[in-house]
Amino acid sequence: GQSLEQPSEVTAVEGAIVQINCTYQTSGFYGLSWYQQHDGGAPTFLSYNALDGLEETGRFSSFLSRSDSYGYLLLQELQMKDSASYFCAVKTGGGKLIFGQGTELSVKP
Amino acid sequence: EAQVTQNPRYLITVTGKKLTVTCSQNMNHEYMSWYRQDPGLGLRQIYYSMNVEVTDKGDVPEGYKVSRKEKRNFPLILESPSPNQTSLYFCASGSSSYEQYFGPGTRLTVT
């Protein structure tokens, strides 16, 4: 089967740094994406890693280790508006994208 | 404004009554996809399309049909809806499958 594992909930305080991990077992792998979703609204794309290493986009960074089938999303200088659900997703081939079950991040003042 | 639109946004229907959820994008994307989202299950891909007249199954295609006759439109058809298809549905498009722009969602209830 195919599976992506990520923590269901994470809590952090404003201004802190938080890391959301994602491990995957899929039949194919072309890259790992991250999406943010506020309260059942439209998911929005954050980042994509096809190669090992760290990608930085402002306060958000994403990391991938293909040999470990592992990646993470790092959020720095947390703000209240970062409270949302975060999904990792694996591009397995063609047009297929498999999502994890999501991590609900709560940012406290 | 670049966007993906879906209609209707909310729909309550009865078992067996055929319905179509429309999806349209104005970004000239070749790739489009449909997802359903259920509590605790994340987003699950129903169908996707790499280009006009090219569609393929995602992970949960049973009970759904799609068509891609024009680049901008990708309707989702439920020929005989059942209560287990009650869900939040998202359409998405992108220049690639890994970076997708999502529509606002359609909340479907089948009684």
Side-chain angles (χ1 to χ4, degrees):
Chain A
Q2 315 213 76
S3 68
L4 282 75
E5 298 288 333
Q6 44 179 138
S8 58
E9 296 178 345
V10 172
T11 301
V13 296
E14 215 172 357
I17 299 173
V18 72
Q19 178 174 312
I20 299 174
N21 299 320
C22 175
T23 58
Y24 58 88
Q25 272 190 309
T26 56
S27 56
F29 180 86
Y30 286 81
L32 185 70
S33 297
W34 288 93
Y35 286 81
Q36 179 191 62
Q37 184 182 36
H38 284 99
D39 292 330
T44 55
F45 173 79
L46 294 176
S47 68
Y48 176 69
N49 295 67
L51 303 174
D52 287 0
L54 191 68
E55 296 279 344
E56 298 179 67
T57 310
R59 295 188 296 114
F60 294 3
S61 303
S62 57
F63 172 83
L64 176 65
S65 168
R66 295 176 67 128
S67 60
D68 295 322
S69 299
Y70 164 76
Y72 66 72
L73 179 70
L74 192 73
L75 297 81
Q76 303 182 72
E77 301 172 17
L78 279 174
Q79 303 175 8
M80 297 298 290
K81 68 178 182 180
D82 296 329
S83 291
S85 292
Y86 293 84
F87 295 89
C88 58
V90 168
K91 175 178 160 66
T92 61
K96 281 199 170 183
L97 199 65
I98 296 177
F99 282 78
Q101 294 182 5
T103 298
E104 188 172 346
L105 171 64
S106 296
V107 180
K108 306 293 185 187
Chain B
E1 179 190 355
Q3 60 183 350
V4 178
T5 56
Q6 296 178 225
N7 283 292
R9 295 288 314 280
Y10 302 90
L11 179 60
I12 300 174
T13 190
V14 296
T15 299
K17 186 176 181 182
K18 181 179 177 180
L19 67 92
T20 299
V21 184
T22 64
C23 173
S24 183
Q25 52 97 2
N26 63 2
M27 294 170 278
N28 201 36
H29 287 152
E30 291 185 346
Y31 179 88
M32 297 187 75
S33 185
W34 275 102
Y35 298 87
R36 62 178 289 173
Q37 185 173 30
D38 303 289
L41 295 179
L43 290 144
R44 293 182 292 167
Q45 192 174 42
I46 302 171
Y47 270 96
Y48 64 91
S49 170
M50 300 291 280
N51 212 328
V52 175
E53 301 290 2
V54 180
T55 63
D56 211 340
K57 296 177 181 178
D59 281 339
V60 289
E62 296 77 20
Y64 304 95
K65 285 176 59 176
V66 293
S67 68
R68 188 90 182 273
K69 293 183 169 56
E70 308 165 280
K71 199 172 192 178
R72 64 184 292 125
N73 296 323
F74 190 45
L76 179 70
I77 303 156
L78 284 72
E79 295 260 357
S80 184
S82 63
N84 65 11
Q85 293 178 298
T86 292
S87 188
L88 176 59
Y89 291 86
F90 287 102
C91 178
S93 73
S95 53
S96 62
S97 60
Y98 63 81
E99 181 178 355
Q100 297 181 37
Y101 294 84
F102 283 76
T106 295
R107 195 167 290 278
L108 172 65
T109 301
V110 184
T111 61

